[in-house]
Amino acid sequence: MSANGLVQIEGLTPPGNAHRKTSKVMLLFPPEWVPTAPYLALPSLTAVLRQAGHEVVQKDINIEMYDLFFSDTFLFWISGRLDLQRRLLEERERRAALTDQETDQLALLREKCTVEVFDLAERAAEAKRIVRSQDFYDADKLEWALNIFREVMQYISAAYYPASLVFYPMESNLGYRPGVSREVFACLEDEQVNVYRDVCRQLVLPVVNREQPHVVGVSIGTQMQLLAGLTFCKMIKQAFPHIHVTVGGNVVTRLQEEWPTHPQFFNEIFDTAILYEGEHALLWLLEALAGGRPISSVPNLMYRGTVGVETNKEIYTEKTTALPLPDFDGLPLDQYFVPERILPYLATRGCYWGRCTFCDHGQGYFDQYRGVPAHQVIEQVLALRDKYHCRHFLFSDESYPPALFKKVSQLLVERNAGIKWTTLIRFEETLQDQELWYLAAKSGCCTLYYGMESANERVLNLMDKHAKKSVMRTNLMQASQAGIWNHVMAFYGFPGETRDEAEDTRRFILEHQPYIHSVELFYFVAYRHTPIVRSPEKFGITIHKQPEYDLPLDYYYTLNEPGGLSCLEAMEMAEQFYQQDFHPWAVRVNAREHVFLYISKFGTNRLPQIYAKPEDRLRGTDSVSGLVTWPVALGEGDGNKEDGPTMTRVVSHASGG
């Protein structure tokens, strides 16, 4: 046992088990996530399992789903579904038996049944060709393609009325609240709105039947993936009851207190759940299922025991320097909606700062911040570059440490690596040398995402963030001067913040617009695993827990004393910012990876072609990605952190340290 009380399991097999039985494992990554690059969870798990001799089939169902949605096969199938629903409702209409909702649904069905599906399918195919070809770099063509994707999603949505399926991803709404267990269970069975049941039938069950794995693992990293992931689990269990289904990911860890109170999850949906980091926990689970060790000895594991749901006490944290290179073999690397391959890479686990009172991204880890040395980072990135013929990387760390930022930049230049990269970063006093920013740009750094949160130093100190406005200004100016694209994330309404202090943030952003190339401004959300929720009285708030929200990831709160911004006032200020001040930052492409590739291609952060045209800004419509439509909060983040913000549409205000 280590000094911090964790049981550290050194061996990969039980003593005396030299001839370990190998298994066949299928790993699934469910929707919804961005369709621009693989997520790191599956390749990290795959590398450890394959190193131990297990056969692994890894499937990114997220990208396969979008590829399917924008195909003639699926759209013709949707056309048939729409027609069948229309005829059934028209029969009810003749009997004067329609409800108000069915009347609205029938009107929508009649509208969509007039769509020329052959033409829509042809345009969808052309849109996919554009985003995967050099035409991607023509901003007019790219915007056209993105708008076609939106049109297709509206067409598909009509077949799952009243669900709203949206492109850009992570904004879809099936009408069920993922924080309410009874609604989750109902959604899993709902054939009308749950599109993931059809996705499972067409993309998941056939491959499970063909491969016949011993174990299926489903990685659920964000709350937006919860309904899809659990749908897949339940349908696999129903179709293949002999297959062991396990779940993992950040959301599974965050809800570890709730799973045992709902035995239905373990009785009907999955067999085991892996908490915290999963590479070796999954490896040892395979050994336990093969009879090589007691299941009670598998760390990080929750399972159905003889007396109910049990959680093993041992917790294992990965040794980052000893982990193998992520293994992307088997993933459709040329199927993502980008013209160049982009791969994620993680050098650190946890956040080196780790003090922000609003942040719960570290909940996916049990242990402290860890990382690999700069020279190992370089060797692994170059190995991935050469193996997968990839020169664009998402450094997916919670917040890139300044010492590592400096050293990695230096080594990439010395090795003439020839890569392009992006990451999340914190404003730091040690990064105020202009030559350092030139070096970072020379090393291939194209875009940086800063968790500014506020531009008022009193509020920043309340957050335990302790950044200085002068440092923010210098970092932004110097990075911009070097040609790096600066994306700033902030939010209104941290408990105790006054309206005037919130205005400081707005003024700072507007005054530094020449150095801030894109921005997200949201409102404070009380995530359940944060210091502020654990000690609400310290921050002058009252947390309100609603009984029906029995799978909560955040809570509603009120202020104990007047003077600060209420939750509602913060929301109104954020909406006002998007309506009145956001126009200089309205872009026509709304994925961080798309902006990243544009900067890589054109070699500058001055990209007027990707911003909204003046006439679109004046119209104030949503014809432009993110224009007026302000971001949706995602309580994202996990051990393989791939949840950096997407341009103007998706905010994760706990990012960037």
Side-chain angles (χ1 to χ4, degrees):
M1 182 172 292
S2 65
N4 59 13
L6 298 180
V7 175
Q8 299 291 336
I9 302 175
E10 299 293 342
L12 297 186
T13 60
N17 188 13
H19 303 288
R20 177 176 55 247
K21 181 179 179 181
T22 59
S23 301
K24 186 173 187 179
V25 183
M26 178 174 290
L27 299 178
L28 302 178
F29 183 71
E32 282 190 8
W33 188 248
V34 293
T36 46
Y39 194 85
L40 194 52
L42 266 56
S44 299
L45 297 167
T46 296
V48 171
L49 297 184
R50 286 178 175 166
Q51 186 181 65
H54 297 286
E55 182 180 354
V56 182
V57 178
Q58 52 179 338
K59 302 287 290 181
D60 185 344
I61 304 302
N62 181 67
I63 185 58
E64 290 188 22
M65 181 190 77
Y66 288 110
D67 199 38
L68 175 69
F69 279 1
F70 305 131
S71 70
D72 54 3
T73 302
F74 189 75
L75 291 178
F76 296 156
W77 184 82
I78 286 292
S79 177
R81 180 180 167 105
L82 289 169
D83 186 62
L84 175 61
Q85 291 179 355
R86 176 185 58 81
R87 287 188 281 111
L88 290 174
L89 287 180
E90 285 178 341
E91 174 60 29
R92 288 179 55 80
E93 182 183 45
R94 284 191 288 271
R95 293 185 282 109
L98 287 179
T99 66
D100 290 343
Q101 178 172 305
E102 287 173 335
T103 299
D104 294 339
Q105 181 182 4
L106 180 56
L108 179 61
L109 289 169
R110 284 170 170 160
E111 173 191 339
K112 296 304 180 184
C113 284
T114 65
V115 171
E116 178 48 66
V117 68
F118 288 94
D119 173 68
L120 184 61
E122 287 181 0
R123 288 185 287 131
E126 174 64 7
K128 285 199 293 186
R129 187 200 65 78
I130 288 172
V131 297
R132 291 170 175 163
S133 72
Q134 292 303 301
D135 282 343
F136 169 93
Y137 295 108
D138 182 325
D140 289 335
K141 291 182 178 179
L142 177 57
E143 182 184 14
W144 178 88
L146 296 176
N147 283 331
I148 293 301
F149 292 151
R150 297 185 185 99
E151 182 181 347
V152 171
M153 294 300 282
Q154 291 175 356
Y155 181 73
I156 295 172
S157 293
Y160 296 92
Y161 182 90
S164 173
L165 309 176
V166 181
F167 193 92
Y168 207 71
M170 298 185 293
E171 295 182 23
S172 295
N173 184 356
L174 301 188
Y176 289 95
R177 295 170 292 180
V180 180
S181 64
R182 61 178 173 81
E183 295 193 21
V184 169
F185 293 132
C187 182
L188 301 188
E189 302 287 348
D190 192 328
E191 291 286 357
Q192 172 58 35
V193 304
N194 189 351
V195 63
Y196 305 122
R197 290 185 63 85
D198 286 327
V199 171
C200 189
R201 291 188 186 101
Q202 298 189 36
L203 295 178
V204 178
L205 297 184
V207 73
V208 174
N209 185 58
R210 181 177 71 248
E211 298 291 345
Q212 288 294 316
H214 301 99
V215 174
V216 170
V218 181
S219 178
I220 304 176
T222 72
Q223 191 177 44
M224 286 301 301
Q225 294 177 291
L226 188 63
L227 294 177
L230 295 181
T231 296
F232 293 174
C233 289
K234 182 164 189 177
M235 294 181 70
I236 293 170
K237 286 300 298 178
Q238 289 174 337
F240 307 97
H242 61 285
I243 293 178
H244 184 98
V245 176
T246 188
V247 294
N250 188 268
V251 168
V252 173
T253 298
R254 294 187 193 209
L255 294 173
Q256 61 180 290
E257 297 175 13
E258 281 68 41
W259 302 123
T261 65
H262 300 87
Q264 186 176 347
F265 284 113
F266 286 87
N267 294 334
E268 301 176 8
I269 300 174
F270 50 78
D271 298 293
T272 56
I274 294 176
L275 312 177
Y276 304 110
E277 297 165 274
E279 289 94 335
H280 282 88
L282 178 55
L283 176 64
W284 292 318
L285 173 61
L286 297 183
E287 294 182 1
L289 295 176
R293 66 164 73 230
I295 196 167
S296 60
S297 74
V298 178
N300 305 11
L301 189 69
M302 184 176 289
Y303 58 98
R304 183 176 61 251
T306 56
V307 293
V309 178
E310 300 182 25
T311 304
N312 291 339
K313 295 180 180 180
E314 292 81 5
I315 297 174
Y316 181 76
T317 59
E318 297 293 341
K319 301 173 180 62
T320 53
T321 56
L323 287 170
L325 196 69
D327 189 340
F328 294 89
D329 290 358
L331 290 177
L333 297 182
D334 295 321
Q335 199 170 332
Y336 294 91
F337 287 7
V338 285
E340 320 281 348
R341 287 184 176 182
I342 303 175
L343 293 182
Y345 174 79
L346 191 67
T348 63
R349 297 199 175 189
C351 177
Y352 75 94
W353 182 254
R355 293 163 51 183
C356 296
T357 55
F358 59 81
C359 180
D360 70 347
H361 274 196
Q363 183 63 25
Y365 304 106
F366 187 86
D367 205 0
Q368 68 280 355
Y369 163 80
R370 290 150 286 143
V372 297
H375 68 86
Q376 187 175 350
V377 172
I378 301 304
E379 294 302 327
Q380 292 187 335
V381 168
L382 296 185
L384 290 170
R385 178 199 67 181
D386 295 340
K387 180 178 181 181
Y388 295 107
H389 308 289
C390 173
R391 295 188 176 273
H392 292 85
F393 289 88
L394 307 174
F395 290 173
S396 304
D397 306 75
E398 298 280 350
S399 185
Y400 219 72
L404 191 64
F405 182 81
K406 296 176 184 179
K407 189 63 175 176
V408 164
S409 296
Q410 177 187 342
L411 292 176
L412 287 172
V413 172
E414 290 177 0
R415 295 290 296 271
N416 193 25
I419 70 163
K420 303 292 185 180
W421 56 279
T422 178
T423 194
L424 289 90
I425 198 167
R426 174 183 152 83
F427 292 112
E428 283 284 3
E429 293 188 43
T430 58
L431 301 178
Q432 296 189 91
D433 180 352
Q434 181 66 68
E435 292 304 313
L436 169 63
W437 294 102
Y438 284 132
L439 182 68
K442 187 177 181 181
S443 76
C445 179
C446 291
T447 61
L448 290 173
Y449 293 81
Y450 304 83
M452 183 179 79
E453 325 310 354
S454 171
N456 181 276
E457 291 185 12
R458 188 191 78 86
V459 175
L460 288 168
N461 291 339
L462 288 176
M463 296 176 181
D464 209 1
K465 196 171 183 71
H466 302 287
K468 296 181 180 178
K469 286 177 67 173
S470 60
V471 172
M472 296 177 187
R473 181 180 300 109
T474 301
N475 287 170
L476 290 169
M477 292 175 63
Q478 292 180 340
S480 178
Q481 179 65 32
I484 295 170
W485 178 286
N486 294 321
H487 179 89
V488 168
M489 297 169 284
F491 59 90
Y492 290 139
F494 185 83
E497 180 182 56
T498 66
R499 181 173 291 273
D500 286 344
E501 289 170 330
E503 282 293 328
D504 286 344
T505 300
R506 173 181 172 274
R507 282 191 292 269
F508 182 91
I509 291 173
L510 294 175
E511 290 169 3
H512 295 84
Q513 188 260 329
Y515 315 113
I516 298 174
H517 304 94
S518 52
V519 65
E520 298 174 50
L521 187 58
F522 203 60
Y523 56 87
F524 172 75
V525 176
Y527 294 116
R528 65 175 287 189
H529 295 291
T530 57
I532 196 169
V533 170
R534 287 196 292 267
S535 304
E537 67 286 344
K538 179 180 176 182
F539 296 89
I541 64 172
T542 297
I543 298 296
H544 300 276
K545 299 181 180 180
Q546 298 170 278
E548 67 172 342
Y549 280 90
D550 52 355
L551 299 174
L553 292 178
D554 57 73
Y555 295 118
Y556 176 68
Y557 70 94
T558 55
L559 302 176
N560 295 339
E561 300 290 340
L565 280 177
S566 68
C567 181
L568 179 60
E569 289 170 331
M571 293 173 65
E572 291 171 343
M573 285 190 70
E575 183 174 12
Q576 187 178 51
F577 175 84
Y578 279 91
Q579 291 175 340
Q580 299 180 5
D581 301 315
F582 183 64
H583 303 299
W585 294 282
V587 291
R588 298 198 282 163
V589 297
N590 60 355
R592 60 171 179 170
E593 292 83 6
H594 289 174
V595 174
F596 173 37
L597 290 178
Y598 262 72
I599 296 169
S600 173
K601 172 74 171 180
F602 297 105
T604 176
N605 56 21
R606 303 299 175 187
L607 297 168
Q609 70 269 36
I610 72 172
Y611 285 97
K613 298 176 182 178
E615 58 268 26
D616 289 325
R617 296 181 186 179
L618 290 174
R619 280 201 305 268
T621 66
D622 195 35
S623 61
V624 178
S625 305
L627 185 58
V628 175
T629 303
W630 45 297
V632 176
L634 299 180
E636 313 176 301
D638 76 0
N640 296 306
K641 185 173 179 298
E642 263 301 317
D643 62 340
T646 52
M647 303 297 297
T648 75
R649 300 291 289 184
V650 179
V651 67
S652 180
H653 67 230
S655 299

